[in-house]
């Protein structure tokens, strides 16, 4: 109970909010070493907001694009800003040192329609992108030349890259994650994996632990152990709506996930988590042997009415409602909310095992995207309500 009370006391502190966009703020980022924000919106604008002496954020740059701005990627070292547009174009700019001027550099016709995600990889001078045209493409940022493309099984929302191995991770609307090996002018398929029942909406890569996190419209997050090469996949269940965005604090090993319901969840990944068991198949309850409703032979032989099948989330056994009448949270399996367990498993779960491993916070707006500044412990959330909010997360991620 003491641990639970401590988790409840830890709350993000809201530092301020930025208002003024005329439509959905699709993506935004905190300006490093400055009290400022870069945002792109469905209203076709790129804006750089700097905090003034009166405490308000005002745009030092206001630039209108020919098409709605769907996504962005900002590299602080070069101050290169890459903007994805609804018409399939990627436009690049260089921001001045004082963030009061923006100079156009080049444009790429990267996709046939809306650009979904962009990554600028400084080490390779590559611009990676995904679009609604079901293509992943990469370009040379120096020459502007397209280096290659790969067609995904569905429109891709998640995009991450590992510099060390040159592996790119692409998550799509079918729920599949594709791993590709990129070379200068070609790519090869490494593998694909699927664990979500809904589309992949966000990806986050930890290059130190070599773990990939995928968020989905099925409300769940899966942690894929890429580096362990054992195929381990850990589920995290803590959202009541679509997972919209993910960010990872490497120094504290905490995952930050945000949902369409406005929920911000901070997961402690520095614990020994357990894989959820596979659901077992059976024609009768594996506890009381009562037949399930499709088992006509056993129903006839025993003269009993068939029962509905359920599954215990802890052991995976097929059980009837009477033998799984209890509910429990199982945080080490990723179940922060209470789920169905069989009666015997319910008895075996201790209070220590029920101790939460995540904290839950309400942003009070429909989040589209998040950006975490680990150096200051600040979190930025942008939403469909046209508002950007800044949070001090140090009480939670320290």
């Amino acid at each position: 109970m003491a641990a639970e009370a401590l988790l409840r006391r830890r709350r993000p502190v809201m530092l301020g909010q930025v208002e003024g966009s005329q439509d959905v703020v699709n993506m935004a980022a905190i300006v490093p070493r400055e009290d400022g924000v870069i945002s792109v919106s469905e209203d076709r604008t790129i804006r750089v907001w700097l905090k003034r002496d009166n405490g308000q954020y005002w745009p030092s740059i206001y630039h209108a694009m020919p098409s709605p701005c769907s996504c962005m990627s900002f590299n602080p070292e070069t101050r290169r800003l890459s903007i994805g547009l609804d018409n399939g174009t990627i436009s690049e700019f260089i921001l001045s040192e004082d963030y009061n001027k923006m100079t156009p550099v080049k444009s790429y016709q990267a996709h046939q329609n809306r650009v979904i995600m962009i990554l600028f990889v400084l080490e390779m001078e590559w611009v990676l992108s995904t679009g609604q045209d079901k293509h992943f493409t990469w370009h040379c940022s120096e020459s502007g030349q397209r280096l290659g493309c790969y067609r995904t099984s569905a429109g891709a929302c998640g995009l991450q890259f590992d510099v060390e191995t040159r592996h790119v991770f692409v998550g799509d609307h079918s729920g599949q994650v594709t791993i590709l090996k990129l070379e200068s002018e070609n790519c090869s398929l490494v593998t694909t994996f699927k664990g979500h029942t809904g589309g992949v909406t966000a990806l986050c890569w930890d290059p130190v632990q070599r773990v990939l996190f995928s968020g989905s419209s099925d409300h769940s997050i899966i942690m894929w152990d890429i580096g362990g090469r054992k195929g381990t996949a850990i589920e995290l269940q803590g959202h009541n709506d679509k997972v919209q965005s993910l960010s990872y604090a490497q120094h504290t090993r905490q995952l930050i996930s945000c949902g369409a319901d406005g929920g911000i969840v901070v997961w402690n990944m520095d614990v020994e988590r357990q894989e959820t068991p596979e659901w077992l198949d059976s024609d009768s309850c594996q506890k009381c042997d009562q037949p399930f409703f499709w088992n006509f032979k056993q129903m006839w032989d025993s003269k009993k009415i068939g029962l509905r099948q359920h599954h215990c989330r802890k052991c995976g056994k097929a059980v009837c409602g009477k033998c799984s009448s209890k509910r429990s949270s199982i945080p080490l399996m990723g179940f922060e909310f209470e789920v169905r367990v069989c009666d015997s498993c319910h008895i075996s779960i201790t209070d220590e095992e029920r101790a939460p491993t995540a904290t839950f916070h309400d942003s009070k707006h429909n989040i589209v995207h998040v950006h975490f500044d680990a150096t200051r412990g600040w979190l930025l959330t942008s939403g469909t309500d046209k508002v950007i909010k800044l949070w001090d997360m140090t009480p939670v991620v320290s």
Side-chain angles (χ1 to χ4, degrees):
M1 292 299 293
E4 197 170 335
L6 179 63
L7 285 170
R8 278 200 300 267
R9 285 200 300 271
R10 291 174 169 176
R11 297 291 180 196
V13 178
M14 188 168 166
L15 299 171
Q17 64 182 41
V18 182
E19 301 180 55
S21 298
Q22 302 303 308
D23 210 327
V24 177
V25 180
N26 285 316
M27 200 170 285
I30 299 168
V31 177
R33 299 177 296 278
E34 296 281 347
D35 203 345
V37 171
I38 303 169
S39 69
V40 296
S41 171
E42 203 69 25
D43 65 10
R44 300 190 297 113
T45 64
I46 305 167
R47 307 186 198 209
V48 178
W49 312 80
L50 296 180
K51 194 173 185 179
R52 305 305 182 185
D53 293 338
N54 63 1
Q56 299 295 313
Y57 287 89
W58 290 92
S60 61
I61 294 175
Y62 179 101
H63 185 83
M65 298 296 288
S67 182
C69 304
S70 53
C71 57
M72 60 170 272
S73 176
F74 179 63
N75 181 265
E77 293 180 48
T78 60
R79 298 189 306 282
R80 182 191 294 262
L81 180 64
S82 305
I83 307 295
L85 301 180
D86 194 61
N87 63 11
T89 302
I90 296 175
S91 295
E92 288 192 340
F93 303 86
I94 297 294
L95 300 184
S96 62
E97 289 188 27
D98 60 3
Y99 292 95
N100 281 302
K101 184 180 178 182
M102 192 168 71
T103 305
V105 179
K106 64 172 67 72
S107 291
Y108 317 86
Q109 188 57 47
H111 297 276
Q112 296 301 311
N113 47 32
R114 191 178 180 90
V115 183
I116 303 299
M117 287 291 291
I118 303 173
L119 284 179
F120 170 63
V121 184
L122 178 60
E123 293 84 350
M124 279 70 181
E125 293 287 349
W126 287 348
V127 177
L128 317 180
S129 64
T130 59
Q132 279 186 345
D133 59 2
K134 301 182 182 180
H135 278 88
F136 159 74
T137 67
W138 72 106
H139 291 75
C140 173
S141 62
E142 294 179 311
S143 66
Q145 179 184 355
R146 174 181 284 202
L147 299 176
C149 69
Y150 180 89
R151 183 175 174 83
T152 56
S153 58
C157 284
L159 179 63
Q160 290 287 281
F161 182 73
D162 181 55
V163 174
E164 182 182 339
T165 63
R166 296 192 181 186
H167 284 162
V168 65
F169 306 94
V170 182
D172 63 44
H173 288 305
S174 73
Q176 180 173 283
V177 177
T178 302
I179 303 180
L180 303 170
K181 171 81 170 185
L182 293 193
E183 302 296 346
S184 295
E185 296 183 4
N186 61 74
C187 72
S188 57
L189 176 64
V190 177
T191 188
T192 61
F193 44 85
K194 186 173 182 178
H196 291 289
T197 57
V200 174
T201 52
L203 292 179
C204 185
W205 172 243
D206 174 13
V208 177
Q209 302 295 325
R210 308 203 64 74
V211 166
L212 181 72
F213 299 96
S214 61
S216 171
S217 58
D218 64 11
H219 309 178
S220 74
I221 300 164
I222 297 179
M223 181 184 81
W224 307 90
D225 184 6
I226 305 296
R229 300 182 182 277
K230 296 179 180 178
T232 305
I234 305 294
E235 289 186 39
L236 302 174
Q237 302 280 353
H239 286 279
N240 293 311
D241 206 333
K242 177 170 66 172
V243 179
Q244 293 279 55
S245 190
L246 300 170
S247 189
Y248 188 68
Q250 287 185 9
H251 64 297
T252 57
R253 292 196 65 187
Q254 287 171 296
L255 177 72
I256 302 170
S257 61
C258 295
D261 57 359
I264 302 173
V265 184
V266 181
W267 305 84
N268 178 13
M269 302 310 299
D270 197 21
V271 295
E272 192 67 32
R273 294 189 176 272
Q274 304 166 19
E275 277 192 287
T276 52
E278 290 188 17
W279 285 4
L280 302 177
D281 293 325
S282 179
D283 290 330
S284 57
C285 175
Q286 294 181 300
K287 293 293 182 179
C288 68
D289 202 37
Q290 288 271 64
F292 293 131
F293 64 84
W294 63 81
N295 189 353
F296 298 111
K297 184 179 185 305
Q298 190 175 343
M299 281 193 292
W300 178 264
D301 293 343
S302 61
K303 302 296 189 288
K304 293 178 180 178
I305 298 175
L307 303 175
R308 182 183 173 188
Q309 177 184 263
H310 301 282
H311 283 93
C312 172
R313 292 334 188 248
K314 190 172 193 303
C315 67
K317 288 184 178 179
V319 289
C320 67
K322 185 178 179 181
C323 293
S324 59
S325 60
K326 301 290 195 299
R327 300 288 186 278
S328 177
S329 60
I330 321 173
L332 293 182
M333 282 188 167
F335 297 113
E336 293 288 334
F337 305 147
E338 291 192 344
V339 290
R340 182 185 294 273
V341 293
C342 67
D343 294 353
S344 56
C345 282
H346 186 269
I347 295 170
S348 70
I349 301 173
T350 65
D351 289 341
E352 288 77 14
E353 289 177 311
R354 290 190 178 93
T357 61
T359 59
F360 299 83
H361 318 283
D362 186 6
S363 70
K364 300 192 185 310
H365 73 147
N366 188 323
I367 297 173
V368 175
H369 189 262
V370 300
H371 176 242
F372 182 65
D373 181 352
T375 59
R376 287 179 282 189
W378 289 5
L379 182 74
L380 177 151
T381 58
S382 53
T384 58
D385 56 2
K386 312 171 190 176
V387 173
I388 301 166
K389 293 186 179 183
L390 283 164
W391 310 85
D392 182 0
M393 298 296 289
T394 50
V396 187
V397 297
S398 59

